[in-house]
């Protein structure tokens, strides 16, 4: 009998997931990363820390989030049962808070008083501003000028929470540039600053740490589906920007060889048009933002500008663990277009009374495709990573409606 | 002995501090890049650091970011950079050239192919900002081809790591004078002096100091305890906007000559 590969043993001590991951950063950051890595390794095995984290997740974030059978959506699609893991019901409206609550506790244990973060859709910025306010820390959020324009509500939410939002005008003025700028801040203020990266990208230990903090999504969902249906789902799906909500859902199931795993990337106007953000489906291995992973770049190695209707998926890289899972054949990554996501958004709103984030609408669109391929008693488990309130202006503008 | 090693040996014998200008390849004008490189040498450069433009220069401040953006907009990539080095070598066989940049352009070009082409063009070393010692196994084809890997050391580098860097240094060790990005200006000479003095007693290679050096005064302040000084953002800023070869040459020389004089008067 072939031995089942243990996907839970990654990354190795250097932060590598096979050929991917690692710490590709300037020398100045090697020491703070080592310091963070040591602190995190110690804390993640510390009963006191874990109890504190559990308390916050339960009483502040509102966990566990439900697994909800979207019956009318499933009926409309006419295939398998679509179950939604309701991360949109978390405090601040997305899965991002799972990670920021965890990292903020790490920051406090390390004695750091200043939090910085990058944000695309603004959900991670809001989640960072939220935990900083709660712990009485200073918070600076870097956000691309283009994203500031399309996510105005979240910009204002961050300000209400006491954070400073710094517009980033270099490069493509989106998430990748915000990440560059946050790294530049960190390298300049390493002594007192904690950088809360918002997805499973960046140098080691971030891809591991952010995954661990989001992995509660899959642990809960696995137990919930087993309890409610007496078996595991046939297939999982989640949207993939940097990949944190996706790995959060997938991780607990990686060693369940019978559970199929499909990540939905932003295909924008279609992969063939070149206007997309599908790093895994259409990119190649390279080095960006401190790790080796799949990136979208030209033959000169310049990172290319991406397009997605959803700011949170508009990123030319992806977390290294996804690159590893793709090459290992454990997970598949497919593109979902802007139009398909919009259609799924409307359908979910009208059949279930749920306004999903545009990012999450990509996952819903993919769940619908997967449900069609399965019999009625099949189960598709979809991560509904966030709620759509932040997107109503974008949607209205796209549909020519004045709000 | 490599071209870089020969150059530092010569500097040492003459009791001089090396002057290492950094320019972004392709900025301010791709057509005059080779002329600019010769002008740097005429103005007293001992080694040239040529920045390979990258779209996401995480360790650079606005001046070099914008220079990279301008160069990329003009279509500058590794091929152009290597062509310029080759052309430069037609008239200058002695001045070492180090390509400075980020890993992705080299990774995408292919390590083995890059190594072969760079050596053929006359490149002597590479300083890949986002490739620390721990990740440098991928650079093996470069080493085999004879390219030296210039390592960085920083104020945050822990003592045990510093020992490792000192032991692995080849060509020269680049000491980053403060924790920050290029172009910032918080040079604090006192802190650096002690640190660099300690590194120089332990490193297998000479030590160059960069970040925060902007003019003759700051260069001179460093010259007392470093084997070489690196000047980047201030020079890139001075060059930006120049369009014709005469103007570029004049600005490069006007900028570097006083610094050269200050180093030599030391
Ligand atoms: C609701 C929501 N889902 C998904 C994402 C994409 O991030 P990730 O791929 O890390 O989950 C974002 C990012 O802003 C988001 O706000």
């Amino acid at each position: 009998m072939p031995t089942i590969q243990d996907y839970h043993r990654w990354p190795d001590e250097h932060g590598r997931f096979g050929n991917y991951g690692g710490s590709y950063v300037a020398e100045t950051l090697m020491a703070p990363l080592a310091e963070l890595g040591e602190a995190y390794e110690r804390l993640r095995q510390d009963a006191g820390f874990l109890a504190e984290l559990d308390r916050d997740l339960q009483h502040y974030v509102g966990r566990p989030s439900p697994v909800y059978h979207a019956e009318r959506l499933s009926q409309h699609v006419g295939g398998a049962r679509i179950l939604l893991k309701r991360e949109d019901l978390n405090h601040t409206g997305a899965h991002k808070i799972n990670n920021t609550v965890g990292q903020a506790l790490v920051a406090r244990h390390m004695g750091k008083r200043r939090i910085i973060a990058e944000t695309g859709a603004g959900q991670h910025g809001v989640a960072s501003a939220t935990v900083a306010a709660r712990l009485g820390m200073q918070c600076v959020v870097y956000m691309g000028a283009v994203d500031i324009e399309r996510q105005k509500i979240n910009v204002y939410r961050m300000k209400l929470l006491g954070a400073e939002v710094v517009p980033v005008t270099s490069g493509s003025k989106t998430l990748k540039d915000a990440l560059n700028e946050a790294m530049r801040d960190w390298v300049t203020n390493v002594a007192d600053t904690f950088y809360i990266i918002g997805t499973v990208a960046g140098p080691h230990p971030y891809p591991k740490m952010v995954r661990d903090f989001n992995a509660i999504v899959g642990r809960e969902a696995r137990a919930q589906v087993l309890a409610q249906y007496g078996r595991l789902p046939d297939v999982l799906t989640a949207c993939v920007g940097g990949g944190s909500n996706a790995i959060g859902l997938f991780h607990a199931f990686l060693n369940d060889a019978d559970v199929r795993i499909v990540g939905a990337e932003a295909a924008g106007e279609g992969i063939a048009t070149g206007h997309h953000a599908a790093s895994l489906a259409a990119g190649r291995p390279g080095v960006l933002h401190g790790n080796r992973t799949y990136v979208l770049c030209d033959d000169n190695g310049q990172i290319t500008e991406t397009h997605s209707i959803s700011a949170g998926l508009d990123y030319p890289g992806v977390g290294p663990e996804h690159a590893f899972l793709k090459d290992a054949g454990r997970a598949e990554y497919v593109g979902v277009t802007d139009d398909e996501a919009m259609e799924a958004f409307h359908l979910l709103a009208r059949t279930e009374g749920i306004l999903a984030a545009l990012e999450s609408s990509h996952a819903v669109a993919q769940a619908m495709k997967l449900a069609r391929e399965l019999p009625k008693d099949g189960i598709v488990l979809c991560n509904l990573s966030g709620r759509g309130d932040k997107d109503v202006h974008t949607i209205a503008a796209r549909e020519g409606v004045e709000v | 002995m490599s071209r870089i090693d020969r150059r530092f040996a010569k500097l040492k014998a003459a009791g001089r501090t090396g002057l290492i200008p950094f320019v972004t390849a392709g900025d301010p004008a791709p057509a005059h890049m080779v002329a600019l490189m010769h002008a740097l040498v005429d103005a007293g450069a001992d080694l040239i650091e040529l920045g390979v433009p990258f779209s996401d220069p995480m360790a650079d401040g606005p001046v070099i970011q914008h220079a990279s953006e301008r160069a990329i907009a003009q279509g500058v990539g590794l091929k152009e950079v290597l062509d310029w080095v080759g052309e430069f070598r037609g008239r200058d066989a002695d001045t070492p050239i180090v390509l400075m940049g980020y890993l992705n352009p080299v990774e995408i070009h292919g390590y083995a192919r890059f190594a072969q082409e760079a050596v053929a063009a006359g490149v002597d070393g590479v300083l890949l900002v986002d490739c620390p010692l721990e990740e440098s196994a991928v650079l093996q084809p470069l080493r085999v081809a004879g390219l030296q890997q210039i390592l960085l050391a920083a104020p945050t580098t822990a003592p045990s790591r510093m020992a490792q860097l000192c032991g692995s240094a080849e060509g020269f060790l680049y000491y980053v004078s403060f924790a920050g990005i290029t172009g910032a200006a918080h040079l604090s000479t006192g802190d650096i002096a002690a640190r660099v003095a300690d590194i120089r007693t332990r490193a297998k290679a000479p030590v160059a100091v960069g970040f925060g050096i902007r003019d003759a005064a700051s260069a001179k302040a460093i010259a007392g305890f470093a084997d070489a000084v690196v000047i980047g953002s201030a020079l890139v800023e001075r060059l930006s906007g120049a369009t014709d070869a005469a103007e570029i040459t004049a600005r490069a020389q006007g900028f570097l000559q006083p610094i050269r004089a200050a180093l030599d008067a030391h």
Side-chain angles (χ1 to χ4, degrees):
Chain A
M1 256 214 8
T3 52
I4 295 170
Q5 180 169 7
D6 180 9
Y7 288 96
H8 288 165
R9 71 189 168 92
W10 302 96
D12 68 14
E13 70 272 24
H14 304 292
R16 301 202 182 102
F17 300 87
N19 289 327
Y20 300 102
S23 302
Y24 293 88
V25 293
E27 176 62 27
T28 309
L29 288 180
M30 292 304 283
L33 284 171
E35 187 197 359
L36 172 61
E38 281 156 26
Y40 176 62
E41 283 306 314
R42 183 168 43 78
L43 290 170
R44 77 185 190 89
Q45 297 167 56
D46 179 298
F49 174 85
L50 294 174
E52 210 178 346
L53 179 60
D54 275 350
R55 262 199 314 277
D56 281 358
L57 289 173
Q58 187 183 341
H59 300 295
Y60 189 66
V61 174
R63 305 208 67 89
S65 68
V67 162
Y68 167 71
H69 178 196
E71 273 190 78
R72 290 194 67 230
L73 176 69
S74 306
Q75 267 165 20
H76 181 95
V77 170
R81 291 169 285 188
I82 298 174
L83 309 185
L84 302 175
K85 177 63 173 164
R86 298 290 308 274
E87 291 299 297
D88 60 317
L89 297 178
N90 294 338
H91 178 43
T92 72
H95 69 290
K96 298 283 181 187
I97 191 91
N98 300 323
N99 169 46
T100 58
V101 161
Q103 286 200 51
L105 284 182
V106 175
R108 207 187 61 196
H109 278 269
M110 291 177 75
K112 308 283 181 182
R113 302 295 312 155
R114 179 174 178 267
I115 296 285
I116 59 170
E118 85 294 339
T119 198
Q123 284 303 116
H124 174 60
V126 167
S128 298
T130 298
V131 295
R134 178 159 173 261
L135 297 181
M137 295 179 179
Q138 187 195 346
C139 181
V140 177
V141 179
Y142 291 92
M143 189 166 185
V146 168
D147 293 337
I148 285 185
E149 193 47 43
R150 58 179 164 175
Q151 301 285 326
K152 284 189 192 126
I153 296 188
N154 272 346
V155 174
Y156 189 55
R157 285 170 82 195
M158 286 183 261
K159 289 182 180 165
L160 289 174
L161 290 160
E164 180 191 350
V165 180
V166 180
V168 177
T169 55
S170 55
S172 58
K173 306 179 180 57
T174 58
L175 179 55
K176 82 172 174 74
D177 309 284
L179 213 150
N180 290 333
E181 209 52 39
M183 278 281 178
R184 292 180 188 122
D185 179 316
W186 196 32
V187 93
T188 307
N189 301 293
V190 281
D192 69 338
T193 296
F194 190 100
Y195 180 14
I196 302 190
I197 294 187
T199 190
V200 285
H204 179 63
Y206 285 101
K208 171 182 173 160
M209 179 169 66
V210 178
R211 174 199 72 194
D212 291 351
F213 288 139
N214 268 304
I216 187 157
V217 175
R219 276 200 307 277
E220 281 176 7
R222 193 173 181 282
Q224 287 164 318
V225 175
L226 275 175
Q228 290 170 37
Y229 300 92
R231 67 173 184 95
L232 292 175
D234 296 287
V235 54
L236 314 176
T237 191
C239 65
V240 180
S244 65
N245 88 86
I247 206 71
L249 177 66
F250 300 166
H251 194 255
F253 295 90
L254 289 177
N255 288 338
D256 297 319
D258 293 338
V259 177
R260 188 179 164 205
I261 297 178
V262 183
E265 291 190 297
E269 292 164 13
I271 287 182
T273 66
H275 297 160
H276 62 81
S279 318
L280 288 161
R284 48 181 150 181
V287 175
L288 178 67
H289 291 151
N291 67 89
R292 174 172 286 105
T293 186
Y294 277 76
V295 300
L296 292 167
C297 70
D298 65 19
D299 290 340
N300 279 330
Q302 310 299 353
I303 303 303
T304 41
E305 290 197 11
T306 50
H307 166 83
S308 169
I309 189 176
S310 73
L313 302 184
D314 211 348
Y315 180 62
V318 63
E321 189 162 8
H322 289 291
F324 169 70
L325 293 174
K326 172 188 161 84
D327 284 11
R330 178 63 189 98
E332 304 150 56
Y333 296 88
V334 298
V336 169
T337 64
D338 289 351
D339 287 344
E340 290 170 326
M342 283 304 307
E343 194 189 318
F345 171 87
H346 285 301
L347 198 61
L348 187 69
R350 285 190 307 258
T351 56
E352 299 291 348
I354 297 172
L355 297 183
L358 283 176
E359 292 78 14
S360 321
S361 299
H362 288 70
V364 174
Q366 187 57 36
M368 288 160 52
K369 291 186 198 178
L370 293 165
R372 264 181 222 117
E373 296 168 7
L374 288 170
K376 284 216 162 11
D377 63 348
I379 296 178
V380 177
L381 175 60
C382 170
N383 198 2
L384 198 73
S385 56
R387 67 177 187 227
D389 309 46
K390 69 183 177 61
D391 294 314
V392 294
H393 283 280
T394 305
I395 293 163
R398 184 182 167 94
E399 303 187 338
V401 177
E402 189 105 22
V403 189
Chain B
M1 218 187 201
S2 75
R3 197 153 22 210
I4 299 175
D5 297 342
R6 283 201 301 276
R7 179 52 51 104
F8 275 100
K10 199 171 139 194
L11 284 166
K12 189 170 181 194
R16 298 175 78 205
T17 303
L19 174 56
I20 307 181
F22 167 98
V23 288
T24 298
D27 192 69
H32 306 306
M33 199 56 213
V34 178
L36 170 58
M37 292 165 73
H38 288 303
L40 295 173
V41 176
D42 292 343
D46 295 299
L47 184 154
I48 295 174
E49 267 188 23
L50 208 49
V52 178
F54 181 50
S55 52
D56 293 79
M58 252 175 10
D60 286 301
V63 169
I64 294 177
Q65 283 172 41
H66 292 139
S68 297
E69 285 171 11
R70 288 190 296 267
I72 292 167
Q74 305 243 36
V76 175
L78 262 180
K79 180 185 178 309
E80 288 71 24
V81 179
L82 294 175
D83 285 350
W84 291 326
V85 175
E87 196 185 331
F88 172 82
R89 280 277 171 257
R91 255 183 61 201
D92 187 328
D94 300 321
T95 308
I97 293 182
V98 170
L99 297 190
M100 181 160 181
Y102 295 80
L103 203 52
N104 200 54
V106 179
E107 169 129 347
I108 297 300
H109 200 79
Y111 292 101
R113 177 180 161 213
F114 169 80
Q116 188 218 326
E117 293 175 5
V119 167
V123 172
D124 302 291
V126 292
L127 197 172
L128 294 160
V129 179
D130 55 354
C131 189
L133 197 55
E134 285 77 355
E135 302 292 356
S136 63
V138 290
L139 302 183
Q140 187 59 17
L142 280 62
R143 278 190 286 275
V144 170
L147 292 172
Q148 292 183 298
Q149 187 194 356
I150 310 304
L151 295 171
L152 293 163
T156 53
T157 304
S160 60
R161 222 180 120 71
M162 189 64 90
Q164 205 187 352
L165 292 172
C166 285
S168 310
E170 49 181 22
F172 60 96
L173 186 63
Y174 186 135
Y175 183 72
V176 175
S177 72
F178 56 80
I181 52 175
T182 58
H186 354 237
L187 200 61
S188 148
T189 329
D191 300 347
I192 309 167
R195 201 78 201 269
V196 173
D198 169 57
I199 298 171
R200 276 176 89 193
T201 62
R202 296 195 283 150
K204 288 199 314 189
V207 180
V209 175
F211 280 47
I213 304 170
R214 313 190 51 80
D215 50 22
S218 46
K220 194 171 172 177
I222 300 293
F225 50 83
D227 296 296
V229 298
V230 185
I231 304 198
S233 298
L235 172 59
V236 171
E237 194 163 23
R238 174 71 77 91
L239 293 172
S240 89
T243 48
D244 61 280
E247 169 83 21
I248 291 168
T249 303
R251 287 200 201 179
Q253 299 198 333
F255 181 83
L256 278 193
Q257 271 160 355
I259 298 171
R260 177 79 264 171
L263 291 178
D264 290 346
H266 169 74

